[in-house]
Amino acid sequence: MAEPQKIESGDPVRKLSGRYLKWTAYGLFLLLMCLLQAAPYLIPEIFGARPLLVVPTVVFIAMFTGPIGGAAAGIAGGLLWDLYSDRLLGFNAIVLLIICCACGLLVRLLIRNNLLSAMLLFSGALLTQGLMDWFFNYVLWMKEDPLYMLGRMLLPDMAYTLVVSPLLYGLTLLIAKTLRKRD
């Protein structure tokens, strides 16, 4: 008689602890990037521009975790960003939720996860978030000289962020590989 096959489901405690560890690591990384973005003198300004570290962090996390994890990272990053900014609470959370879910889906279904695709996805995400922020917070509210704000404030911040983002991709890749080795 043949012995019945056992279904090996793995250790559920280990899977659960790995999941908690993964999201704790990503959460602490996101919190660190939010604190660095909010701190006035930790990252030097270049011609008045400061990098927006939350956007690349959540996009890169979305690329490694998929659409659901990306949506969660987008909401968390957006809410953390909204807490210390003068924007409407939840604006960046909604925008980053949509962007990160789309990035996670694109990586899961269509493109490879490498530096080139990360930079292309991130560039589109940064441009989308920046233009939506500009439109909803400067143009619709009819603030003084919205084109000046776009040209002298938002676009230099985006360019600085684009230069810094390969370092953030490398850090996110390092975290993802370390967590994969542990599993």
Side-chain angles (χ1 to χ4, degrees):
M1 261 177 122
E3 191 174 314
Q5 292 180 348
K6 293 182 181 178
I7 300 174
E8 292 187 29
S9 62
D11 186 13
V13 173
R14 183 176 175 166
K15 284 185 179 181
L16 191 60
S17 67
R19 189 174 299 150
Y20 283 133
L21 179 68
K22 176 175 89 168
W23 285 109
T24 302
Y26 283 136
L28 289 174
F29 181 57
L30 181 60
L31 182 63
L32 176 68
M33 292 302 116
C34 286
L35 290 174
L36 284 175
Q37 181 175 322
Y41 300 111
L42 284 179
I43 298 177
E45 290 184 6
I46 298 177
F47 300 114
R50 295 182 41 84
L52 307 170
L53 300 176
V54 173
V55 180
T57 303
V58 295
V59 168
F60 298 150
I61 289 173
M63 291 179 70
F64 286 103
T65 59
I68 295 173
I75 289 173
L79 284 175
L80 284 172
W81 191 2
D82 286 338
L83 285 176
Y84 66 83
S85 70
D86 59 348
R87 305 288 187 251
L88 180 65
L89 184 65
F91 174 78
N92 285 317
I94 292 171
V95 171
L96 291 178
L97 161 81
I98 295 167
I99 288 172
C100 290
C101 188
C103 289
L105 274 172
L106 283 172
V107 168
R108 180 76 45 97
L109 298 175
L110 294 175
I111 61 176
R112 292 184 181 172
N113 191 352
N114 56 28
L115 182 61
L116 178 63
S117 62
M119 294 308 293
L120 290 173
L121 278 177
F122 164 66
S123 299
L126 184 65
L127 189 64
T128 302
Q129 190 279 333
L131 289 177
M132 288 183 73
D133 180 41
W134 172 72
F135 181 75
F136 285 108
N137 290 306
Y138 293 101
V139 174
L140 283 183
W141 287 97
M142 291 186 240
K143 291 188 177 178
E144 280 186 34
D145 209 6
L147 290 177
Y148 175 80
M149 290 301 291
L150 180 67
R152 294 290 181 172
M153 301 279 289
L154 294 173
L155 290 178
D157 287 350
M158 286 187 221
Y160 192 4
T161 306
L162 199 58
V163 170
V164 174
S165 62
L167 175 67
L168 294 176
Y169 180 77
L171 289 173
T172 310
L173 179 64
L174 180 69
I175 291 171
K177 282 186 177 183
T178 305
L179 292 172
R180 247 187 247 132
K181 282 181 187 175
R182 189 179 184 286
D183 287 339

